[in-house]
């Protein structure tokens, strides 16, 4: 149908005939369910029910991001303390400072990206600090230390995309542990 000037009405207006050269069904207006023969809702391909969001049928389940592994206590093979002395042990020699630097990208690792920003960064920072402690222990062990005391951390930005975690402490030698006294039995 055309108006008096021979122009077609705009798309979507009554009377507008859309070309359909391949016999495809006409699209329903926005917000309406397309109909297919005798008022039946249009089915998906090969007679399947229409899909419900992202390929799921029926009721959708709420997606929950995976949680990263919770940090656990690491054993480093020697005492590492934030205190200045090992309780119950005498320090016999101070070997000197031990330092380690771990540089990390400030972007979340791929394995932590789905966990959520806060949880992902928490896991990444904890891993960085534990890696820095492990390097301090390696340095102390190479120096012949029995323990690291006064452990501290420092963090700073190197570039816009890199940050550093520094762990430092004092490597010390300890007196042998006292023998436990046993009471003679009578």
């Amino acid at each position: 149908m055309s108006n008096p000037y021979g122009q077609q009405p705009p798309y979507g207006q009554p009377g507008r005939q859309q070309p359909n050269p391949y016999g495809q069904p006409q699209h329903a207006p926005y917000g309406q369910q397309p109909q297919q023969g005798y008022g039946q809702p249009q089915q998906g391909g090969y007679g399947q029910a229409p899909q419900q969001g992202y390929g799921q049928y029926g009721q959708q389940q709420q997606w929950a991001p995976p949680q990263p592994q919770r940090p656990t206590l690491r054993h480093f093979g020697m005492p590492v303390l934030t205190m200045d002395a090992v309780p119950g042990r005498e320090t016999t020699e101070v070997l000197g400072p031990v330092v380690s630097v771990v540089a990390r990208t400030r972007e979340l690792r791929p394995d932590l990206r789905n966990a959520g920003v806060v949880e992902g960064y928490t896991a990444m920072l904890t891993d960085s600090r534990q890696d820095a402690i492990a390097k301090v222990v390696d340095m102390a062990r190479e120096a012949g230390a029995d323990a690291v005391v006064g452990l501290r951390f420092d963090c700073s930005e190197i570039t816009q995309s890199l940050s550093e975690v520094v762990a430092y402490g004092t490597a010390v030698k300890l007196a042998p542990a006292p023998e436990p006294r046993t009471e003679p039995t009578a």
Side-chain angles (χ1 to χ4, degrees), residues 59-83:
Q59 186 173 352
Q60 294 181 3
Q61 294 180 355
Q62 182 71 18
W63 180 79
Q67 294 297 315
Q69 263 189 324
R70 292 187 59 141
T72 57
L73 181 64
R74 267 189 175 171
H75 296 282
F76 296 102
M78 76 169 54
V80 179
L81 294 90
T82 56
M83 300 184 292

Side-chain angles (χ1 to χ4, degrees), residues 30-63:
Y30 291 111
Q32 296 181 8
Q33 181 74 16
Q35 299 294 315
Q36 176 181 346
Y38 303 110
Q40 300 297 321
Q42 184 175 1
Q43 294 182 345
Y46 303 106
Q48 298 172 352
Q51 293 185 351
Q52 306 282 324
Y54 300 113
Q56 296 180 2
Y57 292 98
Q59 186 173 352
Q60 294 181 3
Q61 294 180 355
Q62 182 71 18
W63 180 79

Side-chain angles (χ1 to χ4, degrees), residues 123-167:
M124 189 171 73
L125 292 170
T126 301
D127 288 346
S128 296
R129 282 161 175 73
Q130 288 184 337
D131 291 347
I133 294 171
K135 288 182 176 187
V136 161
V137 168
D138 289 343
M139 188 177 191
R141 188 173 286 120
E142 288 174 11
D146 297 320
V148 175
V149 295
L151 181 74
R152 303 288 186 267
F153 290 105
D154 191 15
C155 297
S156 64
E157 181 179 313
I158 299 172
T159 66
Q160 275 189 328
S161 61
L162 285 176
S163 62
E164 68 174 350
V165 173
V166 179

Side-chain angles (χ1 to χ4, degrees), residues 64-125:
Q67 294 297 315
Q69 263 189 324
R70 292 187 59 141
T72 57
L73 181 64
R74 267 189 175 171
H75 296 282
F76 296 102
M78 76 169 54
V80 179
L81 294 90
T82 56
M83 300 184 292
D84 292 330
V86 177
R89 301 284 298 272
E90 182 185 344
T91 300
T92 60
E93 186 179 352
V94 173
L95 299 175
V98 285
V99 179
S100 74
V101 177
V102 175
R104 295 289 164 114
T105 179
R106 295 173 74 185
E107 297 294 322
L108 279 176
R109 297 187 320 240
D111 62 316
L112 298 175
R113 288 186 185 149
N114 292 332
V117 175
V118 174
E119 292 83 4
Y121 275 113
T122 301
M124 189 171 73
L125 292 170

